Amino acid sequence: MNRFAKYITEGQGIGAKFLFALALLLALHLGWVIKNNGMQFIPQAQAISDQLLPIKVENSVVTVPQNMTKNVFIPMAKQGITFSIDTTRDSFDINGLKDGVYLSRKAIYTVSGQQVKVNQLTENLDIPKGDYRGFFAKIINWTAFFMVLAASGLLFLFYLAITLAYSLLLVPVARIAGRSYNFDQRMRLSAAAVTAAVLLRWILSGLVYTISFPGLLLLIVVFQGLSVLQLVKSEKA
């Protein structure tokens, strides 16, 4: 009996450690992508802050900059937004405002589609002009860290749920093959199939081809079937 067959039939647990390792690997990759892309954006973020700052609010009124009109375009994932500062006026006429953020002497307006949110300036604020690259780097690092923690947990639960679903599918499949596997054996086999399919999809997506989610589900079935055939072959050997 080969190692794979021995693990499925005589191993311990339900394959959770492999699913967690898989989830952690993909979460670490996500964190690396967030950090890498974020660090590349820092020079642009610094340039934007140089254009927007300084801003100072005293007694619910913008005092710096005074009597100034300025439009700064902030690139986003799709089309970006415009941040408009106009301290020559106390308020904006919300009719006809395009998507973006608008700052008057006494309020800040957020426009998205047909929704307009108006927040009156109520607290003192002082954001000086300066070098914020280190601050941006800390935000990116902490964001990547928390994303790794959240993604690893969520992915683990997601893969565990898929494994459980496919372990139920193994019941009729095993009967067709003339075999019977208990819950732990079915979970270990399904966890191995899920791990192999997700890893293959991840590797291919980084090279030449991206497998869709329905394609991933079908791929798990293929690996599951191959695993059952391997077990049957090993038992006969």
Short mmCIF file of all heavy atoms in Angstrom, two decimals, residues 24-55:
data_model
loop_
_atom_site.label_atom_id
_atom_site.label_comp_id
_atom_site.label_asym_id
_atom_site.label_seq_id
_atom_site.Cartn_x
_atom_site.Cartn_y
_atom_site.Cartn_z
N LEU A 24 -3.48 29.23 4.45
CA LEU A 24 -2.42 30.14 4.88
C LEU A 24 -1.53 30.52 3.70
O LEU A 24 -1.14 31.69 3.57
CB LEU A 24 -1.59 29.48 5.97
CG LEU A 24 -0.46 30.33 6.57
CD1 LEU A 24 -1.01 31.61 7.17
CD2 LEU A 24 0.32 29.53 7.61
N LEU A 25 -1.23 29.57 2.83
CA LEU A 25 -0.40 29.85 1.66
C LEU A 25 -1.06 30.90 0.76
O LEU A 25 -0.41 31.88 0.36
CB LEU A 25 -0.16 28.57 0.87
CG LEU A 25 0.56 28.72 -0.48
CD1 LEU A 25 1.98 29.24 -0.26
CD2 LEU A 25 0.59 27.40 -1.23
N LEU A 26 -2.34 30.71 0.46
CA LEU A 26 -3.03 31.65 -0.42
C LEU A 26 -3.23 33.01 0.27
O LEU A 26 -3.19 34.05 -0.39
CB LEU A 26 -4.38 31.08 -0.85
CG LEU A 26 -4.31 29.79 -1.69
CD1 LEU A 26 -5.69 29.39 -2.18
CD2 LEU A 26 -3.37 29.94 -2.86
N ALA A 27 -3.44 32.98 1.59
CA ALA A 27 -3.58 34.23 2.33
C ALA A 27 -2.27 35.01 2.34
O ALA A 27 -2.26 36.24 2.20
CB ALA A 27 -4.04 33.95 3.76
N LEU A 28 -1.15 34.31 2.50
CA LEU A 28 0.16 34.96 2.45
C LEU A 28 0.42 35.57 1.07
O LEU A 28 0.99 36.65 0.96
CB LEU A 28 1.26 33.96 2.81
CG LEU A 28 1.35 33.57 4.29
CD1 LEU A 28 2.34 32.43 4.47
CD2 LEU A 28 1.75 34.76 5.15
N HIS A 29 0.00 34.85 0.04
CA HIS A 29 0.15 35.39 -1.31
C HIS A 29 -0.69 36.65 -1.49
O HIS A 29 -0.23 37.63 -2.09
CB HIS A 29 -0.27 34.34 -2.34
CG HIS A 29 -0.19 34.82 -3.76
ND1 HIS A 29 -1.30 35.18 -4.48
CD2 HIS A 29 0.88 35.02 -4.58
CE1 HIS A 29 -0.93 35.58 -5.69
NE2 HIS A 29 0.38 35.49 -5.78
N LEU A 30 -1.91 36.63 -0.95
CA LEU A 30 -2.76 37.81 -1.01
C LEU A 30 -2.12 38.98 -0.28
O LEU A 30 -2.12 40.11 -0.76
CB LEU A 30 -4.13 37.50 -0.41
CG LEU A 30 -5.10 38.69 -0.27
CD1 LEU A 30 -5.44 39.28 -1.64
CD2 LEU A 30 -6.37 38.27 0.46
N GLY A 31 -1.57 38.71 0.91
CA GLY A 31 -0.89 39.75 1.66
C GLY A 31 0.29 40.33 0.91
O GLY A 31 0.52 41.54 0.93
N TRP A 32 1.04 39.46 0.24
CA TRP A 32 2.20 39.92 -0.55
C TRP A 32 1.74 40.81 -1.70
O TRP A 32 2.37 41.84 -1.98
CB TRP A 32 2.97 38.72 -1.09
CG TRP A 32 4.11 39.12 -1.97
CD1 TRP A 32 5.36 39.50 -1.59
CD2 TRP A 32 4.10 39.20 -3.42
NE1 TRP A 32 6.13 39.81 -2.68
CE2 TRP A 32 5.38 39.64 -3.81
CE3 TRP A 32 3.14 38.95 -4.39
CZ2 TRP A 32 5.72 39.81 -5.15
CZ3 TRP A 32 3.47 39.13 -5.71
CH2 TRP A 32 4.74 39.55 -6.08
N VAL A 33 0.65 40.43 -2.37
CA VAL A 33 0.13 41.23 -3.48
C VAL A 33 -0.31 42.60 -2.98
O VAL A 33 -0.01 43.63 -3.61
CB VAL A 33 -1.05 40.50 -4.17
CG1 VAL A 33 -1.75 41.42 -5.16
CG2 VAL A 33 -0.55 39.25 -4.88
N ILE A 34 -1.03 42.62 -1.84
CA ILE A 34 -1.49 43.90 -1.28
C ILE A 34 -0.30 44.78 -0.93
O ILE A 34 -0.28 45.98 -1.25
CB ILE A 34 -2.36 43.64 -0.04
CG1 ILE A 34 -3.69 43.00 -0.45
CG2 ILE A 34 -2.63 44.96 0.71
CD1 ILE A 34 -4.55 42.58 0.72
N LYS A 35 0.70 44.20 -0.28
CA LYS A 35 1.87 44.99 0.11
C LYS A 35 2.65 45.48 -1.09
O LYS A 35 3.04 46.66 -1.16
CB LYS A 35 2.78 44.16 1.02
CG LYS A 35 4.01 44.92 1.50
CD LYS A 35 4.82 44.11 2.48
CE LYS A 35 6.04 44.90 2.95
NZ LYS A 35 6.84 44.16 3.94
N ASN A 36 2.86 44.60 -2.06
CA ASN A 36 3.65 44.96 -3.24
C ASN A 36 2.96 46.07 -4.03
O ASN A 36 3.59 47.07 -4.41
CB ASN A 36 3.86 43.73 -4.12
CG ASN A 36 4.75 44.01 -5.31
OD1 ASN A 36 5.90 44.42 -5.16
ND2 ASN A 36 4.23 43.79 -6.51
N ASN A 37 1.66 45.91 -4.29
CA ASN A 37 0.93 46.93 -5.04
C ASN A 37 0.82 48.23 -4.26
O ASN A 37 0.89 49.33 -4.83
CB ASN A 37 -0.46 46.42 -5.41
CG ASN A 37 -0.43 45.29 -6.42
OD1 ASN A 37 0.57 45.11 -7.12
ND2 ASN A 37 -1.49 44.52 -6.50
N GLY A 38 0.62 48.09 -2.94
CA GLY A 38 0.51 49.28 -2.10
C GLY A 38 1.79 50.09 -2.07
O GLY A 38 1.76 51.33 -2.14
N MET A 39 2.92 49.41 -1.95
CA MET A 39 4.21 50.11 -1.89
C MET A 39 4.48 50.85 -3.21
O MET A 39 5.08 51.92 -3.20
CB MET A 39 5.33 49.11 -1.61
CG MET A 39 5.32 48.54 -0.20
SD MET A 39 5.46 49.83 1.07
CE MET A 39 5.37 48.84 2.57
N GLN A 40 4.04 50.29 -4.30
CA GLN A 40 4.23 50.96 -5.59
C GLN A 40 3.38 52.22 -5.69
O GLN A 40 3.71 53.13 -6.46
CB GLN A 40 3.87 49.99 -6.73
CG GLN A 40 4.83 48.82 -6.87
CD GLN A 40 4.44 47.88 -8.00
OE1 GLN A 40 3.59 48.20 -8.82
NE2 GLN A 40 5.06 46.73 -8.05
N PHE A 41 2.28 52.28 -4.92
CA PHE A 41 1.38 53.43 -4.97
C PHE A 41 1.83 54.57 -4.06
O PHE A 41 1.33 55.69 -4.18
CB PHE A 41 -0.03 52.98 -4.58
CG PHE A 41 -1.06 54.07 -4.65
CD1 PHE A 41 -1.50 54.57 -5.88
CD2 PHE A 41 -1.60 54.61 -3.50
CE1 PHE A 41 -2.44 55.58 -5.95
CE2 PHE A 41 -2.56 55.62 -3.56
CZ PHE A 41 -2.98 56.10 -4.79
N ILE A 42 2.78 54.30 -3.15
CA ILE A 42 3.18 55.31 -2.16
C ILE A 42 3.66 56.61 -2.81
O ILE A 42 3.25 57.70 -2.38
CB ILE A 42 4.25 54.73 -1.21
CG1 ILE A 42 3.59 53.78 -0.22
CG2 ILE A 42 4.97 55.85 -0.45
CD1 ILE A 42 4.53 53.15 0.77
N PRO A 43 4.54 56.59 -3.82
CA PRO A 43 4.97 57.86 -4.43
C PRO A 43 3.79 58.68 -4.96
O PRO A 43 3.76 59.91 -4.83
CB PRO A 43 5.90 57.42 -5.56
CG PRO A 43 6.42 56.10 -5.11
CD PRO A 43 5.26 55.44 -4.42
N GLN A 44 2.81 57.99 -5.54
CA GLN A 44 1.63 58.69 -6.06
C GLN A 44 0.78 59.24 -4.92
O GLN A 44 0.25 60.36 -5.01
CB GLN A 44 0.81 57.73 -6.92
CG GLN A 44 -0.25 58.41 -7.76
CD GLN A 44 -0.87 57.46 -8.77
OE1 GLN A 44 -0.73 56.24 -8.67
NE2 GLN A 44 -1.59 58.00 -9.73
N ALA A 45 0.67 58.46 -3.83
CA ALA A 45 -0.08 58.94 -2.67
C ALA A 45 0.58 60.16 -2.06
O ALA A 45 -0.10 61.10 -1.63
CB ALA A 45 -0.19 57.81 -1.64
N GLN A 46 1.91 60.17 -2.03
CA GLN A 46 2.63 61.32 -1.50
C GLN A 46 2.41 62.55 -2.39
O GLN A 46 2.22 63.67 -1.88
CB GLN A 46 4.12 61.02 -1.39
CG GLN A 46 4.97 62.17 -0.87
CD GLN A 46 4.59 62.59 0.54
OE1 GLN A 46 4.38 61.75 1.41
NE2 GLN A 46 4.50 63.90 0.77
N ALA A 47 2.41 62.34 -3.69
CA ALA A 47 2.17 63.44 -4.62
C ALA A 47 0.77 64.02 -4.44
O ALA A 47 0.56 65.24 -4.50
CB ALA A 47 2.36 62.97 -6.06
N ILE A 48 -0.22 63.14 -4.19
CA ILE A 48 -1.59 63.60 -3.96
C ILE A 48 -1.67 64.41 -2.66
O ILE A 48 -2.31 65.46 -2.61
CB ILE A 48 -2.55 62.40 -3.91
CG1 ILE A 48 -2.65 61.74 -5.30
CG2 ILE A 48 -3.94 62.83 -3.44
CD1 ILE A 48 -3.41 60.44 -5.31
N SER A 49 -1.00 63.91 -1.61
CA SER A 49 -1.02 64.65 -0.34
C SER A 49 -0.34 66.00 -0.48
O SER A 49 -0.76 66.99 0.15
CB SER A 49 -0.35 63.82 0.76
OG SER A 49 1.06 63.73 0.57
N ASP A 50 0.70 66.07 -1.30
CA ASP A 50 1.37 67.36 -1.53
C ASP A 50 0.43 68.37 -2.17
O ASP A 50 0.52 69.58 -1.91
CB ASP A 50 2.60 67.16 -2.42
CG ASP A 50 3.73 66.43 -1.69
OD1 ASP A 50 3.73 66.43 -0.44
OD2 ASP A 50 4.60 65.86 -2.37
N GLN A 51 -0.50 67.87 -3.00
CA GLN A 51 -1.44 68.76 -3.66
C GLN A 51 -2.59 69.17 -2.73
O GLN A 51 -3.08 70.31 -2.79
CB GLN A 51 -2.03 68.09 -4.91
CG GLN A 51 -1.00 67.77 -5.99
CD GLN A 51 -1.64 67.09 -7.18
OE1 GLN A 51 -2.47 67.66 -7.88
NE2 GLN A 51 -1.28 65.84 -7.41
N LEU A 52 -3.02 68.25 -1.87
CA LEU A 52 -4.17 68.52 -1.02
C LEU A 52 -3.83 69.30 0.24
O LEU A 52 -4.64 70.10 0.73
CB LEU A 52 -4.84 67.20 -0.61
CG LEU A 52 -5.60 66.43 -1.69
CD1 LEU A 52 -6.09 65.10 -1.13
CD2 LEU A 52 -6.78 67.25 -2.19
N LEU A 53 -2.68 69.06 0.78
CA LEU A 53 -2.32 69.64 2.08
C LEU A 53 -1.55 70.94 1.91
O LEU A 53 -0.95 71.20 0.88
CB LEU A 53 -1.50 68.62 2.87
CG LEU A 53 -2.20 67.27 3.10
CD1 LEU A 53 -1.29 66.32 3.86
CD2 LEU A 53 -3.52 67.44 3.84
N PRO A 54 -1.57 71.78 2.98
CA PRO A 54 -2.15 71.55 4.30
C PRO A 54 -3.64 71.87 4.35
O PRO A 54 -4.15 72.63 3.54
CB PRO A 54 -1.37 72.52 5.18
CG PRO A 54 -1.07 73.66 4.25
CD PRO A 54 -0.82 73.04 2.90
N ILE A 55 -4.32 71.27 5.33
CA ILE A 55 -5.73 71.58 5.61
C ILE A 55 -5.87 71.81 7.12
O ILE A 55 -5.42 70.99 7.93
CB ILE A 55 -6.66 70.44 5.16
CG1 ILE A 55 -6.64 70.28 3.63
CG2 ILE A 55 -8.09 70.70 5.63
CD1 ILE A 55 -7.48 69.13 3.12
#
